[in-house]
Amino acid sequence: KAGQVVQRYDNLVQIDRAVFTAAKQYDFVYLDSIDQGSRWTSDAPFLLVQYMYSTSYPDGVVGGGAASEMVITPTKSFVRTVVFQVPSNLENMPYTSYVNIVAKPGDKNVKMDGKTVTGLNSVYIDSSYSGYRASYVTVGGHTITSDSGIGVYNYGYLYKEAYSWPATTWNNP
């Protein structure tokens, strides 16, 4: 909406910073300076999309991966169980796949395929959420569970190919 302010929690200095003020309804901004886990807030609904450059950016040299983007799930839509699948491409080649998990840092029962995620690479987001990254996730189905709700983001790369999507199960409270 016109005048809407979108803020990002800056975990380095631990304050909310206004990063965008909409000049009109359905306004947008593109920011390529965000390189860490973040909490985004506003006084009205907004759509947050993460864009991932292809490997040919910025030098034009083609490598593994293509550009892709993913809608970021709002925390009010986090659920306790997420089931998702890591694909292979049409030639049955496995992607180099990753899963980012956003969960409450105090949750002791955040598990991927029955194993705790606390040993994975983690990123501090704010006092309410932490991020965990599972690397080199295998092709096939996976389940991530939590006591209080999680956001799960699945993405992968091949030569000149990429995929990305939020993994969500909508029907569990």
Side-chain angles (χ1 to χ4, degrees):
K1 66 180 185 179
Q4 179 176 356
V5 177
V6 176
Q7 297 178 306
R8 178 182 158 267
Y9 181 76
D10 184 333
N11 61 23
L12 296 176
V13 292
Q14 298 186 353
I15 61 170
D16 284 315
R17 295 184 187 269
V19 293
F20 174 66
T21 301
K24 60 184 184 214
Q25 187 177 14
Y26 305 119
D27 206 353
F28 71 94
V29 66
Y30 173 81
L31 304 169
D32 66 355
S33 58
I34 308 302
D35 61 358
Q36 55 189 286
S38 303
R39 172 178 37 110
W40 297 82
T41 59
S42 184
D43 63 342
F46 66 102
L47 178 67
L48 181 63
V49 177
Q50 177 184 2
Y51 178 79
M52 293 172 284
Y53 290 112
S54 72
T55 56
S56 61
Y57 176 85
D59 58 10
V61 176
V62 177
S68 66
E69 62 186 13
M70 167 182 335
V71 173
I72 303 301
T73 309
T75 57
K76 69 180 183 178
S77 297
F78 283 11
V79 294
R80 294 187 306 228
T81 301
V82 173
V83 178
F84 66 97
Q85 181 171 332
V86 171
S88 59
N89 77 348
L90 294 175
E91 288 83 34
N92 207 27
M93 306 250 327
Y95 290 89
T96 301
S97 295
Y98 304 88
V99 175
N100 290 340
I101 304 161
V102 177
K104 292 187 175 181
D107 274 356
K108 303 293 185 217
N109 292 311
V110 181
K111 296 181 179 180
M112 180 169 163
D113 299 331
K115 296 178 183 168
T116 184
V117 302
T118 56
L120 298 175
N121 292 332
S122 65
V123 173
Y124 175 82
I125 297 173
D126 64 12
S127 60
S128 298
Y129 290 96
S130 290
Y132 303 92
R133 174 172 290 137
S135 301
Y136 306 103
V137 181
T138 58
V139 171
H142 299 276
T143 302
I144 300 179
T145 58
S146 168
D147 291 335
S148 64
I150 46 175
V152 177
Y153 309 93
N154 180 19
Y155 59 100
Y157 306 96
L158 263 176
Y159 183 73
K160 293 186 177 182
E161 287 185 47
Y163 76 89
S164 59
W165 56 72
T168 306
T169 302
W170 292 279
N171 61 358
N172 67 343

